[in-house]
Amino acid sequence: GENVEQHPSTLSVQEGDSAVIKCTYSDSASNYFPWYKQELGKGPQLIIDIRSNVGEKKDQRIAVTLNKTAKHFSLHITETQPEDSAVYFCAASRNGANSKLTFGKGITLSVRP
Amino acid sequence: DVKVTQSSRYLVKRTGEKVFLECVQDMDHENMFWYRQDPGLGLRLIYFSYDVKMKEKGDIPEGYSVSREKKERFSLILESASTNQTSMYLCASSLGTGDGYTFGSGTRLTVV
């Protein structure tokens, strides 16, 4: 089955700096890669996703890049703000009946004011 | 926006009690999921369902069961609650396979 890994488990950046969070996956058939943000006391929320037919996707200050050859994808946050502090989960899945997302263990991002 | 509603934010139950966690989604999603979240362990899948009256075991189904009598409602049942089931429980739904999930706000269950 699929295995998704996130490293490191915590990341601290200064406000205004960029943050990059990387995930690796094992199943070469995976073709959907979402990122979730979980704020304290809330459920995870989908913030951006990418499918395997594109290499990069942007939405304002966040972007996701995908390297299918190396089987890794990354979340990029520019001009970080304190409200970006949260736990971020990456996930991967393939198409097909009964496929489901496999999540990484999450990374805690702290943005220092 | 799709809304996934979990009936309780906080719940305290006694060891041995039968516990029902309810989840309702309002966007006609086919798929529904139950996860538990514990520090350092990420999101672990308990059960999921791709259709009414259908259920599949996830990675940690022991001690749990589920019910999906209607498309919009997916219930997680702890047959006999134990202290090691103290956790945050998250329900999610998705339109189809290969789609993103919408999560509820979670139920923090404490078993004493």
Side-chain angles (χ1 to χ4, degrees), chain A residues 32 36 46 101, chain B residues 1-5 23-33 48-54 68-74 91-104:
Chain A
Y32 175 64
Y36 290 83
L46 178 68
L101 287 173
Chain B
D1 282 350
V2 177
K3 200 169 182 182
V4 177
T5 303
C23 175
V24 177
Q25 50 95 3
D26 65 359
M27 280 296 289
D28 205 34
H29 279 184
E30 298 291 330
N31 310 318
M32 297 189 75
F33 308 85
F48 57 103
S49 168
Y50 289 120
D51 202 353
V52 176
K53 296 192 186 292
M54 174 269 176
R68 194 170 181 196
E69 294 296 317
K70 294 184 178 181
K71 191 175 185 180
E72 67 270 19
R73 186 180 296 270
F74 193 34
C91 176
S93 72
S94 71
L95 182 60
T97 56
D99 291 320
Y101 296 176
T102 300
F103 282 88

Side-chain angles (χ1 to χ4, degrees), chain B residues 46-63:
Chain B
I46 305 171
Y47 267 96
F48 57 103
S49 168
Y50 289 120
D51 202 353
V52 176
K53 296 192 186 292
M54 174 269 176
K55 59 186 177 185
E56 294 256 0
K57 292 180 180 179
D59 301 318
I60 52 164
E62 296 78 21

Side-chain angles (χ1 to χ4, degrees), chain A residues 31-32 34 36 38 41-46 49 51 87 89 93-106, chain B residues 9 31 33 35 37 40-43 45 48 50 54 56-59 88 90 97-106:
Chain A
N31 58 5
Y32 175 64
Y36 290 83
Q38 185 177 26
K42 297 183 179 180
Q45 182 179 10
L46 178 68
D49 56 10
R51 297 192 186 270
V87 178
F89 292 96
S93 73
R94 54 160 72 184
N95 276 337
N98 298 349
S99 69
K100 56 190 185 299
L101 287 173
T102 299
F103 287 88
K105 284 190 164 43
Chain B
R9 288 300 304 272
N31 310 318
F33 308 85
Y35 288 86
Q37 183 176 23
L41 298 178
L43 301 168
L45 182 62
F48 57 103
Y50 289 120
M54 174 269 176
E56 294 256 0
K57 292 180 180 179
D59 301 318
M88 169 69 87
L90 289 162
T97 56
D99 291 320
Y101 296 176
T102 300
F103 282 88
S105 297

Side-chain angles (χ1 to χ4, degrees), chain A residues 43-89:
Chain A
Q45 182 179 10
L46 178 68
I47 56 171
I48 196 168
D49 56 10
I50 193 169
R51 297 192 186 270
S52 60
N53 57 345
V54 298
E56 183 176 2
K57 185 177 178 180
K58 287 184 180 178
D59 183 3
Q60 298 182 345
R61 292 189 299 109
I62 61 173
V64 55
T65 58
L66 172 64
N67 184 327
K68 288 209 73 180
T69 303
K71 288 192 279 189
H72 67 72
F73 56 111
S74 300
L75 178 69
H76 305 254
I77 307 173
T78 59
E79 301 172 17
T80 54
Q81 300 166 4
E83 52 264 39
D84 294 327
S85 297
V87 178
Y88 291 83
F89 292 96

